[in-house]
Amino acid sequence: MSALKHAAVRKSVLLALDFDKTLTVADTFNAIASVAKHKHPNKRDFRWFTDKYMEDYAQHESHWSPIIHKHAENKSVTRSLMGQYLESLRQVENASLERIRDYKILAGVSRVELYNSGRQALFQPGVADVINYFLRVPNCHVCVISVNWSTDFIQGALDANGVSNQPPISVYCNDLKFSKRTGLSTGTMYPRLVVASDKVAVIETQREVLASRYDSKPRLVYAGDSLTDLPALLSADVGLFVGQNDHVAKWCKLLDVEFSKPRFDENDKTLHHLLGWGSAIDIIENS
């Protein structure tokens, strides 16, 4: 049964998508930083910020690795433990955002420049076909939920890669602050989505909004590639794990979550391992 026919006999659908390395071929944070680099040639190279982030992350892991290892040995790893671990990363992420703010490496950039930079981002094969397919399905709502730094960048990427804007796709991410006087970025940003729980919160808010419109919560389909996506992937009726992230595979094993196997104690929620977007429509329609 096609999506268009199936939609007539099922409730509404929320198709929520991560952005970096879920839709795109590569991570795009460096591309966003590069937009402002030529305007501030004497400021620190973005690699310094990446190195500092990795130093903080390594320290974080040195604390958590023994804890997780002990639970793994005792076969007592739970989603609650995973949630605590992921939430503890907020300090690491906030420290990174503060460095970017303090050094203002993203200052002086216009929305048009960010949009045009986003147009250079390359999507994975088949992504646009999947999104456009579900944009045509009645009562199906598509959104992007990302820890990326720019709505304009993401919109540029969507437009350049052939994603329809009818109906418009909602984008939820962090965003730069812009001067009302100059129209240029101030170098600081609104940190709306920092860790995994922030993504889940946005999804639940959108589900509540749609529930008020359709009298029931929509069926949730979520696609993501990283550990930051895993709580959302597991909360979805249909989760699509994109790519080969070892951390996601590790935690799925620790939590006894098997790919493509309905979890009967969770209303048959299923996490699929998506190695290519060509199979996504069939997986979503038949799950």
Side-chain angles (χ1 to χ4, degrees), residues 155-222:
Q155 191 59 60
L158 291 169
D159 290 347
N161 284 275
V163 175
S164 172
N165 61 359
Q166 295 297 327
I169 294 176
S170 299
V171 176
Y172 304 96
C173 69
N174 304 301
D175 221 348
L176 292 167
K177 294 182 180 180
F178 291 87
S179 167
K180 292 182 179 180
R181 182 177 62 84
T182 66
L184 302 178
S185 62
T186 63
T188 60
M189 69 176 69
Y190 299 97
R192 300 186 179 103
L193 289 120
V194 179
V195 294
S197 61
D198 297 335
K199 286 194 167 192
V200 173
V202 170
I203 289 170
E204 286 307 308
T205 297
Q206 296 311 306
R207 293 188 82 188
E208 291 295 338
V209 170
L210 293 175
S212 66
R213 187 184 307 178
Y214 296 106
D215 297 325
S216 64
K217 277 193 174 184
R219 182 170 181 253
L220 174 61
V221 180
Y222 183 84

Side-chain angles (χ1 to χ4, degrees), residues 26 45 68 72 74 102 113 192 199 223 233 239 260 271:
D45 187 83
I68 296 170
N74 296 332
D102 292 344
E113 287 175 309
R192 300 186 179 103
K199 286 194 167 192
L233 287 167
S260 302
L271 177 60

Side-chain angles (χ1 to χ4, degrees), residues 115-126:
Y115 175 87
N116 287 336
S117 180
R119 290 184 62 85
Q120 306 305 311
L122 183 64
F123 277 9
Q124 297 181 32

Side-chain angles (χ1 to χ4, degrees), residues 16-59:
L17 307 164
D18 175 51
F19 181 70
D20 286 281
K21 298 185 75 173
T22 294
L23 305 185
T24 64
V25 171
D27 189 277
T28 65
F29 287 94
N30 188 61
I32 293 176
S34 296
V35 177
K37 177 63 179 175
H38 71 281
K39 298 186 178 184
H40 311 290
N42 296 323
K43 287 192 176 181
R44 290 188 182 275
D45 187 83
F46 188 67
R47 185 177 300 173
W48 180 85
F49 295 90
T50 301
D51 290 343
K52 285 293 184 182
Y53 175 88
M54 293 309 299
E55 289 175 12
D56 289 348
Y57 180 77
Q59 185 175 355

